[in-house]
Amino acid sequence: MESNLLEKVNEKFKLTFKEEVKTKVSGMNFIIRSYEAEGLGAVSTMEAKMPLGLMKMDSIIVNPFEVDVPLLSYDRVFAFGNDSLFMEMYETRINKTDTPSYIKELKNLHNEYSFESEIRWYTEILFKESLHLKAKKKQALGFDKTKDIFMDNYLKWSLEADKCNKEEKIKEARKYTEGLLKNGGTSTDGFIKNKGREYTEKLFRDVLFQTK
């Protein structure tokens, strides 16, 4: 698990563990944990491994309900010699005002390993500063520093942002959760296909995004 990112969150917003779910999807073993971040909102982690080490994925979702910043989704995938990094922010704010200059500057982290993800229903609410990087393992030496810079700036924004009404913010965040369940997403599609809709809906609402 990319524990240093979770530690970064914990340094700024004390984490309290809530629950753990273990399951298996498409031959991969998943461990999903949920937390409450004091003064921030919901945080979850997901680890997935394929036997023989053919594929490994680590994910962190920060769903802020107490400050008016977007949802953050981090994914790191190691598969068949490739290292892929996804640092994404989705618009779940109540007041969709301008973003701080240091957030806009995250576009400077885009480099020769950046790639455009396929257009899906959530593309229109995906911040343009979001990162999608992919390289061979030996070429991806800077990915760790990149993810740290992105997370540090996101947490800075979270500390400086306005407090907000929790129920109203959850209502906004719920649109993304329900959008995934209705329209699909990479992980969402796999869970629904293998575990069924009822199981996936409960997992997403109760544990991953905590927007029930």
Side-chain angles (χ1 to χ4, degrees), residues 20-201:
E20 177 180 282
V21 175
K22 293 183 179 180
T23 190
K24 191 171 184 177
V25 177
S26 298
M28 295 188 72
N29 296 308
F30 284 77
I31 302 175
I32 303 164
R33 299 183 179 95
S34 65
Y35 302 83
E36 180 179 352
E38 184 178 339
L40 179 63
V43 175
S44 66
T45 63
M46 181 166 64
E47 302 173 57
K49 295 181 180 179
M50 187 175 286
L52 304 179
L54 295 176
M55 182 176 179
K56 182 177 74 170
M57 180 180 73
D58 291 325
S59 303
I60 295 177
I61 295 169
V62 180
N63 211 0
F65 300 148
E66 298 183 49
V67 290
D68 206 14
V69 294
L71 179 150
L72 174 76
S73 176
Y74 158 83
D75 292 289
R76 189 76 175 271
V77 182
F78 299 93
F80 310 106
N82 292 314
D83 184 351
S84 300
L85 171 64
F86 303 83
M87 298 291 298
E88 300 175 322
M89 294 185 295
Y90 290 94
E91 183 61 278
T92 60
R93 292 179 296 170
I94 299 169
N95 298 310
K96 298 167 177 53
T97 55
D98 199 16
T99 55
S101 59
Y102 55 83
I103 294 296
K104 293 179 180 179
E105 289 170 5
L106 291 175
K107 288 188 294 183
N108 296 330
L109 294 174
H110 292 212
N111 56 40
E112 68 268 30
Y113 302 118
S114 299
F115 67 94
E116 293 292 330
S117 60
E118 62 178 306
I119 296 176
R120 302 198 67 156
W121 70 269
Y122 46 74
T123 301
E124 64 181 22
I125 62 169
L126 179 68
F127 277 65
K128 59 182 178 295
E129 292 82 8
S130 298
L131 286 173
H132 304 128
L133 306 178
K134 184 177 182 179
K136 292 297 182 181
K137 190 174 182 179
K138 290 182 179 180
Q139 299 172 319
L141 298 178
F143 284 14
D144 286 340
K145 182 178 179 180
T146 296
K147 69 176 175 57
D148 287 345
I149 292 172
F150 200 104
M151 180 62 87
D152 287 342
N153 280 275
Y154 175 80
L155 291 174
K156 179 181 178 182
W157 188 9
S158 300
L159 287 167
E160 295 177 350
D162 293 335
K163 298 290 184 179
C164 60
N165 180 278
K166 186 173 182 179
E167 293 305 315
E168 190 176 351
K169 188 61 161 60
I170 290 175
K171 184 178 179 181
E172 286 297 313
R174 189 177 290 128
K175 295 175 183 178
Y176 179 70
T177 309
E178 298 306 311
L180 283 176
L181 293 170
K182 178 182 178 181
N183 302 300
T186 304
S187 296
T188 314
D189 296 341
F191 270 94
I192 291 175
K193 181 179 179 180
N194 288 270
K195 307 298 290 186
R197 178 162 292 278
E198 183 177 352
Y199 178 94
T200 304
E201 288 178 348

